[in-house]
């Protein structure tokens, strides 16, 4: 009897595992999932990575594959479903629902691309490509200097036209492009990793390196502007093991500086990252790269493999993990990024505690933007005085301005901190485009507010714009002309925030939607809009909802002529 009972129990256990919380596991789908995952671990923090494998292979995630993945990873179906449906780049298809076409063309509709005619491009592509191709409007893809941009599969088409996109579709050019860049071997020939080696062999000590970083005044260049050297000191003060999370999820409309540097000199960033890891005694590093940067993902994957296979010296390096975002602007917020790395929905955490103390997997975590680390090697080699010697109008340092819009030379321009918008346009951007007169600008991306051309003498740097209801953030400068409308551009920004709100808190989730609805009307209800703006600013959990009202308020305050009609 005991043997028989045991046999029955085992049988029931096996059957229960195949049901998966009330949903039967399709055995064929389970086999497909196991082949896709191969020998990779089934850990929960790899859930998003595994969802990408399904999306890449089948161009959507079916209900049967979702259930099979949940079974294979020993997670509930609901848990996998809530993560998969949170991110824009996963097409989750319910039972009996028709999957999308195998090819998707994404057309950016954010500010710079909108100025360049992406709306007209979208309409033309929808009419011309036919039913076999899905055409989607998407938020900023990080190529604003090449506007308008369409992405065919994973292949970005710069300065896209109906003809160029159609040609890419017809010729099946859907793979990500890579650029000519300084690879591992050539980087080492140019004294690459010598500074890191000096750290490991004792030529440099931790205290002096951190002091150099503090003296340089380098601040976080992802937007928050926290002093880098001080951050190293704070995280190092917490008991290990310590981790590091690198934020390359630059989804702020108008921002593309991280992409620009990684496409040219990825190892300068990697060396700076490893120096920071050495100084803070980091055990493991996680690089979080936005999914739109498929070409950079190829570059980093290849160069990390070369670096780890043939280290520049004998000292062991920390483990480096490259993680792939999935199309969620909110994951640019540091705690939301950490949630995503852990395989969850990218929802910001309530603070305190801060990530420096309780971050990734509950450990003290050094979180940095890519560009901050990019400058570490140069500051240590040239000294803090080199960095502080730059600057204008009483400010110190250098800033990488991502400039787009109505200028002749858009792109990343390395300029002195504190430069004014007029100086930036005239000295670095070749002036305004022919036929366009300078009318206004976003000094810090969609969330950084809007200023009129009459306020062209404000130094562009951290803290200098706050009194005007703006901030520099990641230095994403979008310039528009007398042929454009600040009112329309503020609406564009608010729709972006509405789409990208994670939905966790009511002030942001409801406030952005209601504000966008009110802003679509010809006559704005200014009193009600200001009431919404105040609630979003005061009660939202994170910076998305808190900063979303900035363009709205600035349009009303600085462009009153657009509100006189009606």
């Amino acid at each position: 009897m005991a043997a028989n009972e045991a046999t029955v129990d085992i049988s029931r256990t096996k059957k229960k595992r195949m049901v998966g919380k009330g949903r039967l596991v399709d055995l064929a789908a389970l086999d497909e999932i196991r082949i896709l995952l191969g020998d990779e671990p089934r850990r929960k923090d790899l859930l998003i990575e595994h969802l990408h494998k399904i999306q890449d292979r089948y161009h959507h995630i079916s209900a049967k594959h979702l259930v099979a993945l949940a079974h294979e990873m020993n997670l509930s179906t609901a848990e996998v479903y809530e993560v998969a449906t949170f991110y824009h780049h996963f097409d989750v298809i319910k039972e009996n629902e028709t999957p999308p076409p195998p090819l998707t063309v994404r057309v950016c509709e954010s500010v710079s691309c909108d100025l360049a005619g992406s709306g007209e491009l979208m309409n033309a592509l929808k009419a011309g490509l036919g039913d076999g191709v899905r055409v989607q409007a998407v938020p900023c893809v990080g190529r604003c200097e090449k506007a308008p941009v369409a992405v065919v599969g994973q292949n970005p088409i710069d300065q896209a036209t109906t003809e160029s996109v159609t040609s890419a579709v017809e010729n099946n050019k859907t793979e990500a492009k890579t650029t000519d860049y300084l690879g591992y071997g050539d980087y080492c020939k140019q004294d690459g990793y010598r500074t890191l080696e000096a750290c490991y062999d004792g030529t440099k000590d931790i205290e002096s390196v951190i002091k150099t970083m503090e003296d340089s005044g380098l601040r976080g260049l992802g937007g928050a502007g926290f002093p880098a050297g001080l951050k190293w000191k704070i995280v190092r003060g917490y008991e290990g093991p310590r981790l590091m999370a690198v934020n390359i999820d630059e989804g702020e409309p108008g921002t593309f500086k991280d992409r620009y540097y990684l496409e040219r000199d990825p190892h300068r960033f990697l060396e700076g990252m490893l120096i920071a890891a050495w100084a803070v005694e980091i055990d493991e590093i996680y690089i979080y790269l936005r999914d739109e940067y498929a070409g950079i993902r190829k570059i980093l994957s290849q160069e990390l493999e070369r670096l780890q296979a043939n280290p520049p010296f004998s000292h062991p390096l920390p483990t480096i993990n490259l993680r792939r975002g999935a199309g969620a602007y909110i994951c640019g917020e540091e705690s939301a990024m950490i949630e995503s790395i852990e395989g969850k929905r990218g929802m910001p955490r309530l603070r305190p505690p801060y990530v420096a103390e309780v971050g990734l997997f509950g450990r003290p975590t050094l979180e940095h933007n890519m560009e901050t680390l990019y400058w570490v090697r140069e500051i240590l080699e040239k000294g803090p005085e080199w960095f502080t010697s730059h600057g204008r109008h009483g400010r110190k340092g250098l800033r990488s301005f991502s400039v787009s819009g109505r200028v002749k030379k858009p792109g990343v321009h390395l300029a002195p901190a504190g430069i004014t918008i007029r100086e930036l346009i005239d000295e670095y951007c070749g002036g305004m485009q022919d036929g366009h007169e300078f009318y206004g600008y976003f000094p810090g991306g969609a969330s950084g507010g809007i200023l009129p051309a009459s306020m062209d003498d404000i130094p562009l740097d951290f803290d200098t714009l706050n009194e005007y209801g703006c901030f520099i953030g990641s230095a994403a400068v979008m310039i528009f002309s007398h042929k454009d409308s600040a009112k329309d551009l503020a609406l564009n920004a608010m729709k972006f925030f509405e789409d990208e709100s994670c939905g966790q808190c009511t002030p942001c989730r409801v406030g952005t939607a209601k504000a966008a609805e009110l802003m679509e009307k010809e006559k704005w209800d200014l009193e009600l809009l200001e009431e919404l703006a105040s609630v979003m600013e005061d009660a939202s959990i994170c910076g998305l909802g808190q900063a979303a009202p900035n363009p709205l308020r600035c349009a009303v305050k600085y462009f009153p002529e657009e509100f006189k009609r009606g």
Side-chain angles (χ1 to χ4, degrees), residues 345-366:
R345 293 175 295 169
M347 288 189 168
R349 297 176 178 177
L350 292 172
R351 291 171 287 187
Y354 295 92
V355 300
E357 181 181 6
V358 182
L360 192 55
F361 306 117
R363 301 308 311 163
T365 302
L366 178 66

Side-chain angles (χ1 to χ4, degrees), residues 291-304:
D291 195 34
E292 289 85 350
Y293 291 171
I296 292 175
R297 188 166 66 250
K298 288 185 176 181
I299 291 173
L300 285 179
S301 297
Q302 178 172 283
E303 294 308 307
L304 283 171

Side-chain angles (χ1 to χ4, degrees), residues 25 29 92 96 98 115 145 162 174 195 201 215 252 274 277 326 329 348 369 414 423 438 445 467 497:
V25 178
V92 180
N96 302 319
T98 303
L115 291 175
E145 83 279 28
T162 306
T174 61
T195 302
D201 69 15
D215 291 346
E252 180 73 26
L274 290 168
Y329 165 74
N369 167 255
L414 185 63
E423 292 169 337
F438 181 36
E467 62 181 295
F497 296 127

Side-chain angles (χ1 to χ4, degrees), residues 202-434:
T203 304
K204 293 183 180 293
D205 62 88
I206 291 174
E207 288 72 20
S208 65
V209 166
I210 293 179
K211 179 68 163 54
T212 298
M213 296 303 300
E214 290 182 304
D215 291 346
S216 73
L218 180 68
R219 296 173 64 170
L221 298 173
F226 194 86
L230 178 58
K231 182 181 282 191
W232 294 12
K233 185 180 291 185
I234 290 172
V235 178
R236 193 167 186 271
Y238 290 112
E239 183 179 352
R242 306 175 195 89
L243 303 176
M244 185 175 184
V246 182
N247 194 334
I248 319 180
D249 194 58
E250 56 174 0
E252 180 73 26
T255 310
F256 48 90
K257 60 183 179 60
D258 291 356
R259 190 208 85 229
Y260 174 87
Y261 287 122
L262 287 171
E263 286 179 339
R264 289 156 177 80
D265 196 357
H267 284 279
R268 188 171 296 270
F269 147 66
L270 292 174
E271 182 169 10
M273 177 187 76
L274 290 168
I275 290 170
W278 164 82
V280 185
E281 297 181 311
I282 297 294
D283 291 310
E284 193 164 2
I285 300 170
Y286 290 79
I287 300 173
Y288 189 85
L289 178 69
R290 73 178 305 199
D291 195 34
E292 289 85 350
Y293 291 171
I296 292 175
R297 188 166 66 250
K298 288 185 176 181
I299 291 173
L300 285 179
S301 297
Q302 178 172 283
E303 294 308 307
L304 283 171
E305 184 178 339
R306 290 173 175 172
L307 172 64
Q308 293 167 323
N310 183 29
F313 44 81
S314 59
H315 301 282
L317 300 176
T319 301
I320 304 171
N321 305 278
L322 180 61
R323 291 294 176 86
R324 180 177 173 184
Y329 165 74
I330 190 63
C331 291
E333 196 276 339
E334 61 178 7
S335 66
M337 175 189 67
I338 284 172
E339 289 286 295
S340 188
I341 291 173
E342 292 180 353
K344 306 171 188 174
R345 293 175 295 169
M347 288 189 168
R349 297 176 178 177
L350 292 172
R351 291 171 287 187
Y354 295 92
V355 300
E357 181 181 6
V358 182
L360 192 55
F361 306 117
R363 301 308 311 163
T365 302
L366 178 66
E367 188 275 341
H368 263 315
N369 167 255
M370 175 252 132
E371 196 206 346
T372 311
L373 299 168
Y374 185 87
W375 295 112
V376 168
R377 172 192 165 186
E378 203 148 3
I379 288 171
L380 293 180
E381 289 179 353
K382 297 180 178 179
E385 300 81 8
W386 164 78
F387 195 72
T388 59
S389 66
H390 299 279
R392 292 187 187 178
H393 307 295
R395 310 301 296 183
K396 294 182 179 181
L398 290 166
R399 296 288 175 268
S400 300
F401 292 95
S402 302
V403 185
S404 60
R406 306 293 195 184
V407 291
K408 290 182 178 177
K409 293 172 58 180
V412 173
H413 298 290
L414 185 63
I419 194 172
T420 67
I421 189 64
R422 179 62 69 179
E423 292 169 337
L424 186 63
I425 292 172
D426 292 343
E427 298 177 30
Y428 289 83
C429 302
M432 296 292 293
Q433 293 175 356
D434 294 338

Side-chain angles (χ1 to χ4, degrees), residues 543-556:
L544 190 156
Q546 294 164 10
N550 289 345
L552 155 65
R553 284 172 159 168
C554 288
V556 173

Side-chain angles (χ1 to χ4, degrees), residues 23 47-48 51 55 61-63 66 69 77-94 97 326-328 343-347 499-503:
R23 290 180 177 269
L47 173 57
I48 294 172
L51 286 168
Q55 179 72 38
I61 300 174
S62 67
L66 190 145
L69 179 64
T77 302
E79 190 171 4
V80 175
Y81 180 82
E82 73 172 8
V83 171
T85 55
F86 180 86
Y87 295 94
H88 296 313
H89 290 183
F90 296 140
D91 293 309
V92 180
I93 306 302
K94 298 177 182 178
E97 192 173 33
K344 306 171 188 174
R345 293 175 295 169
M347 288 189 168
D499 290 341
E500 293 296 333
S501 173
C502 74

